[in-house]
Amino acid sequence: MHRIKFLLLRLNRVMMLKIFWSLIFTTGIILVSFAQTGTIRGNILDKNTGEPIIYCNVFLEGTNYAASSDLNGFYILAGIPPGQYNLKASYIGYDTVMVAVQVRANVIVAQPIYMSESAVQLAEVNISAAREQARTTVNISQISVSPKQIKALPSAGGEADIAQYLQVIPGIISTGDQGGQIYIRGGAPVQNKILLDGLNIYNPFHSIGFYSVFETELIRNVDVYTGGFGAEQGGRISAIVDLKTREGNKTRQSGFVSGGPFMVKGLVEGPLKKFREGETSISYVFTGKKSLLEHTTKNLYTYAADVDSIGLPFAFRDFYGKVSINAANGSRLNAFGFNFSDNYNNPLVADIGWKNTGGGINFGLIPTGSDMLISGLIGFTTYTVSLDEKDGKPRKSDIDEISANIDFAFFNQKNEIKYGLELKSIRTDFEFINPFNIRLSQEQNTTELGVYFKYKQIIGNLILEPSFRTQYYSSLGALTWEPRFGVKYNVSDNLRFKGAAGRYTQNVLSTSNERDVVNLFSGFLSGPESQVAGFDGLPVKNKLQISHHAIAGFEYDLGKNIQINLEGYYKDFPQLVVVNRNKLSLNDPNYSIETGEAYGVDFSFKYEKKRLYVWATYSHGYVKRNDGQQIYPTIFDRRHNVNFLTSYDLDSKGNWQMSARWNLGSGFPFTKTQGFYNYQDFLGGVNSPFLTSNPEELGIIYSEIRNGGRLPYYHRLDLSMTRKFKFTKHSGLELNASVTNVYDRPNIFYFDRVKYNRVNQLPILPSLSAKLFF
């Protein structure tokens, strides 16, 4: 049997490699077809700082050849007939640059562009750049978030964070102020892939839901795919959050320190080899933050002092460092590492702690004399979580992942080709005790191998993006075929229709102990090697989690400053593998199968002008599961979710800024209580004195209708005011005053059924913070 399994593994790997090399051969044929044309490419950088200029418009004067730079400032103009041209780059806030270039057949012209800031204000830049991107890419169910947008939020505790901004994106539901989990269009947290510079972050949010592990000042861009994403991403069945960090300062030593009642943090950065035009530069950046909540809240806030005299028992510590090498031709290499940790220590309830460490090297190569771009990553990430409760029975989970991938891209005037190979080695070590004292454990090693191909073609006003991914899961012996497709049609310059569909699979699954307080403990397992029965009692053919996405919508530019987006979506989950929480004896199966579906409508409205930013969203959604006995709404099935965010600069220099955010959400489902009974644990076996004992612990009898009740509506208003003082060109002070939950709404957190006690989310929390930058 082992030999057969080994031969099947070899056969599947051979098939995957054949597919990969056939993609390379196909691309080679396409490259030959453009052999009589030339290419211009390079990076567009700020002349003084060396920072990339993102979404800069670059074009050949008097022709239709045009492009825009990417997140690294890279641009490429391909398929150009031989001749003499004037290459122009324009970006609001910078002086237009024009360079004469000579294009020859079969020759690649490397042309870096260095731009100088002008007196024109930069506030309009992102508007025009985003509009051009919208007309040339499908980008369905994709929202790009910049640090500027994150800072537009009212700062909880004086610190803006991506964890807070994700909650205002349509289709994303948060569990609230405490717990730190998000659900994206019907997908549970484990079904959403969170990436930091290409590496998986298994728990990116701290126990107090205001903060993530990421430093806002270090973020370059965050791409959020709420569904229908292309084949370059695999291993998750719901959504992707792809966060990329910037390099350190290439010209001078700089940084900041900041502090408030919730945390202190700092950042230092600078050049190891200064940026100069036409030369390689090396820079570094290091950032760290430490919570103060566990020390300050019981002295500063009446609410925290009343919570059993322990304050808010949330503690966290995050560190991230990076060294970047940027070559003169645009090639780059980054070495980075991180250490994130979190602890919720309530002596009356439980001690829950987790740590996420990792590091890696990512690179982007621009080979001389080739139209191909090559990028890749090699790294590791480790996540460990443990829970110690009053019963003395520890729960723990450890997942280790080693990742390596390489991607190839080819760009032409009207089409793009991308393909790549991804390899992951995953180890899980899990121990879990359910409410009936039944132990579930797993220690497993598995390998995932994925190959993808993506093609983009522009035909007039039509943009087509077919893609395909095949994934091999070694522990399950499963080979998947995952076709995906995206399309956009530009009806006019202002109106665009779009759609996407695809098939997705994943092996990693998660569980939460039902005895944990609001599920702060989440362990991770890989798909079970043992048999799993379906609704009919027969073993399922494969033990993967599977989903199918279908999305359609439109985007409309109402004038220069307003954009409206509307999307309807449907996610089908024909197979979900879950831990059998109803296991009463060792003979019961460890896993069970569920099915599900999620569907709804997401609407967004954005108004962006020089000093005013408005973002409003509404989501109407349904999330259902079928466990074979009944169809029920999930605990994150929120029917209505409204967000309104605005920020306004009170003066033209941006020294005073006001921000406000209001959120309204309908109540989450919960299972009602029918009654209670005295719980007898029978730890003494048949000799247990069950006739004479008087157990103090109460058991709960739940309603047969799962999640048949609804909690009250949630709503909250946050406000903040920021004042900036400039001392010199590069140094200054930033003061922030904020109020969370301005009108002190008593939003329910959870209900202690045994003590018959309602526990609310955080009340009104005013705070002051300061940031000194240099």
Side-chain angles (χ1 to χ4, degrees), residues 758-774:
R758 169 174 166 159
V759 180
N760 288 329
Q761 303 269 15
L762 297 178
I764 181 171
L765 290 177
S767 67
L768 291 171
S769 67
K771 176 188 289 185
L772 179 66
F773 55 91
F774 54 90

Side-chain angles (χ1 to χ4, degrees), residues 680 682-695:
Q680 175 65 260
F682 289 98
L683 293 178
V686 295
N687 296 318
S688 299
F690 56 89
L691 292 177
T692 59
S693 65
N694 185 22

Side-chain angles (χ1 to χ4, degrees), residues 148-332:
K148 179 183 176 182
Q149 291 171 310
I150 299 173
K151 294 175 185 177
L153 276 170
S155 306
E159 302 291 347
D161 194 278
I162 184 62
Q164 302 163 40
Y165 197 91
L166 288 176
Q167 299 172 27
V168 304
I169 293 177
I172 296 184
I173 300 296
S174 170
T175 54
D177 309 332
Q178 305 173 64
Q181 296 293 343
I182 61 170
Y183 302 84
I184 304 179
R185 284 187 177 174
V190 71
Q191 296 161 359
N192 308 317
K193 180 186 282 188
I194 313 291
L195 297 172
L196 172 61
D197 290 329
L199 284 182
N200 271 343
I201 304 297
Y202 279 92
N203 191 352
F205 307 111
H206 288 298
S207 298
I208 185 163
F210 293 145
Y211 304 119
S212 71
V213 300
F214 311 119
E215 169 52 49
T216 301
E217 296 291 348
L218 202 56
I219 293 174
R220 170 162 288 167
N221 188 73
V222 184
D223 285 320
V224 182
Y225 304 86
T226 56
F229 45 92
E232 62 268 43
Q233 297 288 357
R236 292 296 184 272
I237 62 174
S238 183
I240 305 292
V241 178
D242 187 6
L243 187 147
K244 294 181 175 63
T245 61
R246 63 174 177 83
E247 297 94 357
N249 195 311
K250 300 181 181 69
T251 57
R252 64 181 185 87
Q253 302 294 328
S254 62
F256 73 83
V257 290
S258 68
F262 287 13
M263 76 166 83
V264 292
K265 64 179 183 177
L267 179 147
V268 291
E269 58 183 325
L272 299 175
K273 184 177 185 299
K274 283 190 175 183
F275 163 78
R276 291 182 177 85
E277 290 186 27
E279 296 183 10
T280 296
S281 65
I282 305 174
S283 62
Y284 77 93
V285 63
F286 180 82
T287 181
K289 58 186 175 186
K290 170 72 174 68
S291 65
L292 299 177
L293 283 162
E294 67 275 29
H295 305 297
T296 61
T297 50
K298 62 182 177 182
N299 296 320
L300 295 177
Y301 301 109
T302 305
Y303 162 82
D306 293 340
V307 182
D308 300 311
S309 300
I310 61 173
L312 298 178
F314 302 100
F316 57 85
R317 184 184 289 112
D318 302 325
F319 299 102
Y320 178 93
K322 181 178 182 179
V323 175
S324 304
I325 302 174
N326 291 272
N329 73 336
S331 296
R332 66 190 187 282

Side-chain angles (χ1 to χ4, degrees), residues 132 399 720:
E132 184 60 31
I399 183 166
S720 72

Side-chain angles (χ1 to χ4, degrees), residues 48 189 213 384 432 494 534 544 553 607 691 713 721 763:
N48 296 317
V213 300
T384 303
F432 165 83
N494 297 324
L544 293 171
Y607 177 84
L691 292 177
Y713 266 69
M721 172 78 76

Side-chain angles (χ1 to χ4, degrees), residues 353-374:
W354 61 255
K355 179 179 287 187
N356 201 163
T357 59
I361 296 174
N362 60 43
F363 61 88
L365 301 178
I366 305 176
T368 303
S370 171
D371 277 345
M372 299 297 299
L373 302 182
I374 305 172

